[in-house]
Amino acid sequence: MAAPMWGGRSEAPRRRGSGRYARGTWGRGAGWLGFALVLGSVFALVSCSASAPRAEDAAAAKDAETVVDVETATVRRGAIDHWLSAPGALEARRESRIGPEVQGTILHVHVDEGDRVEAGALLFEIDPEPFRLALRQAVAGLDLAHAERLQVEADLARAQLLRSEGILSAQQIERLETAAVVARARERHALDAAALARHHLAQTQVRAPYAGGVAARLADEGTTALVQPQTIVLVLQETSVLEARAAIPEGQLLLVHRGDPARIRIEGLATVIDGEVSAVSESIDPATRTYGVRIRVPNPEGALKAGVFAQVDIRPRSLGDVVLVPRDAIDSEGGASRLLVVRDGVVTSERVKLGVVSERDAQLLAGPPVGAVIVVGASAGDVAPGMRVRARKREEPGA
């Protein structure tokens, strides 16, 4: 049957056209659906990626939860023995700058620098001839005064005899008695003058006041030696016993006492010299804020020389019942001392004030209380403040 006609046109072509349009529309609809599905997948992947933690964050979180095993000890009370060390030098126990006691020309110097002499040994001589002449004059004056005294005393004896016979007056006797007193005084003066002249003659020979070594020779024969100002001819040092002298900081004022054991180390000498503190200064040097100590060092063979550098170690008396920590727990940085303290499994850094420090322990003047747990040994270098740790107690000798 023929298709109906609408407006003179056949309906069949319109339906065909409608069929093609319908197919085209479905094809485009299928494409948009696929794109929507792909876009949804991308959004889902991005969302999953955004919600998943990054590998770096996960590693950091894992590290933050890491617990480190550390070796620990506790702050405790106890006694501490220690050595104080201070630089020093060997010095002569006595040193004398020797010059003449009488003025004159140096006739002979009997010693030279480096010589060792015994007590009383002749060191140098002043020309004695002027002093011999002075002694002879003094002796002559003494003889004259002695004769005058004898004459006056004889005159007085005769006068007193005549006075008893009434021949001389009392005034004449008084004058003779006064003359006798003056004569006796002149004789004593002459006697002292002769003794002084004899002493001056003896002083022309200058002798060693003690056994020692000649450290320096400063004048030679022919020099006119003066008394004021004194001409120094020789420097003598007592070297059979030297002294090691060192300066101790005033912060350790109450630690060192006379009799404390000491060790002296001499550069170039293999052996250590044992001794004890022989003297402690009574005052503080205001310039260095230190006080001096001295240790006697026997030197019978003269092998040691005054002026040589010495390292002085002194062992003061033990300090009892003080707060102690192991020395290897102390960390010093920028002039400050610190301890790593463990509290509730977490490391914290605490600044401390130290007192006496020995080879094994350190005295704590300010810091964590007794019983506090601290990191010691190599573990102190493996952890930092804020880290979580697992404490493993180290047994301390004497704890």
Side-chain angles (χ1 to χ4, degrees):
M1 186 177 70
M5 299 292 292
W6 297 87
R9 296 181 59 183
S10 171
E11 185 65 23
R14 188 181 64 85
R15 288 198 296 269
R16 287 195 299 269
S18 297
R20 288 194 300 270
Y21 176 80
R23 287 194 300 271
T25 301
W26 169 253
R28 285 193 298 272
W32 280 107
L33 179 61
F35 177 73
L37 291 174
V38 171
L39 185 61
S41 299
V42 171
F43 280 134
L45 181 60
V46 171
S47 176
C48 291
S49 298
S51 62
R54 292 185 304 168
E56 293 84 353
D57 294 339
K62 182 178 180 181
D63 289 342
E65 296 299 323
T66 300
V67 179
V68 179
D69 289 330
V70 294
E71 198 172 33
T72 62
T74 56
V75 180
R76 59 186 175 86
R77 301 193 74 91
I80 183 170
D81 290 321
H82 64 293
W83 289 87
L84 291 178
S85 295
L90 292 187
E91 298 184 16
R93 194 166 71 94
R94 289 187 288 181
E95 180 179 284
S96 302
R97 299 173 64 81
I98 300 176
E101 294 185 51
V102 292
Q103 181 171 320
T105 302
I106 297 177
L107 190 64
H108 190 69
V109 181
H110 294 275
V111 296
D112 206 346
E113 187 172 329
D115 290 347
R116 295 183 60 81
V117 297
E118 297 299 325
L122 184 60
L123 300 178
F124 63 92
E125 293 180 81
I126 301 295
D127 184 5
E129 193 58 32
F131 300 95
R132 291 196 184 106
L133 294 174
L135 177 59
R136 286 199 293 268
Q137 289 177 347
V139 171
L142 175 60
D143 292 341
L144 180 60
H146 179 68
E148 289 176 347
R149 178 185 64 81
L150 292 178
Q151 181 62 51
V152 172
E153 288 179 345
D155 291 344
L156 177 60
R158 286 192 296 270
Q160 289 173 340
L161 181 60
L162 294 173
R163 171 63 179 160
S164 64
E165 297 176 356
I167 299 174
L168 293 179
S169 65
Q171 292 179 342
Q172 291 175 316
I173 295 299
E174 290 177 358
R175 283 196 296 268
L176 287 173
E177 287 176 344
T178 302
V181 172
V182 173
R184 294 187 191 103
R186 285 176 178 171
E187 184 181 23
R188 289 195 300 270
H189 182 271
L191 184 62
D192 291 341
L196 182 60
R198 192 173 290 108
H199 177 67
H200 285 166
L201 179 59
Q203 286 181 322
T204 60
Q205 293 188 336
V206 180
R207 300 182 180 275
Y210 49 80
V214 178
R217 173 175 169 171
L218 305 176
D220 296 315
E221 292 81 357
T223 301
T224 299
L226 304 178
V227 176
Q228 200 63 251
Q230 190 178 48
T231 301
I232 303 302
V233 180
L234 299 170
V235 177
L236 183 68
Q237 292 180 337
E238 183 182 16
T239 55
S240 59
V241 177
L242 299 176
E243 284 185 335
R245 301 184 183 182
I248 306 299
E250 66 174 335
Q252 299 169 339
L253 178 63
L254 301 179
L255 297 181
V256 181
H257 302 82
R258 181 179 297 180
D260 287 344
R263 299 180 305 202
I264 298 98
R265 305 174 189 273
I266 308 297
E267 188 173 355
L269 189 66
T271 58
V272 176
I273 302 172
D274 293 323
E276 63 179 32
V277 176
S278 58
V280 179
S281 176
E282 293 292 333
S283 61
I284 299 290
D285 185 340
T288 61
R289 309 309 305 173
T290 60
Y291 64 97
V293 297
R294 291 182 288 174
I295 301 102
R296 290 186 181 179
V297 180
N299 188 33
E301 303 299 326
L304 302 175
K305 304 297 182 184
V308 66
F309 174 80
Q311 181 68 30
V312 177
D313 298 326
I314 301 172
R315 185 174 186 177
R317 301 169 189 176
S318 298
L319 296 178
D321 196 28
V322 295
V323 180
L324 300 176
V325 294
R327 182 173 178 174
D328 60 0
I330 303 296
D331 178 38
S332 297
E333 183 178 355
S337 298
R338 295 182 177 276
L339 288 175
L340 293 177
V341 184
V342 180
R343 293 188 176 91
D344 298 327
V346 178
V347 174
T348 60
S349 178
E350 185 168 336
R351 187 168 179 172
V352 297
K353 182 180 179 181
L354 302 180
V356 171
V357 178
S358 70
E359 295 180 358
R360 184 171 62 91
D361 295 320
Q363 179 189 10
L364 209 60
L365 300 178
V370 173
V373 179
I374 55 175
V375 182
V376 297
S379 299
D382 298 335
V383 294
M387 294 182 62
R388 300 192 62 81
V389 295
R390 184 183 298 108
R392 184 177 70 254
K393 183 178 174 64
R394 181 178 75 180
E395 292 297 331
E396 295 293 333

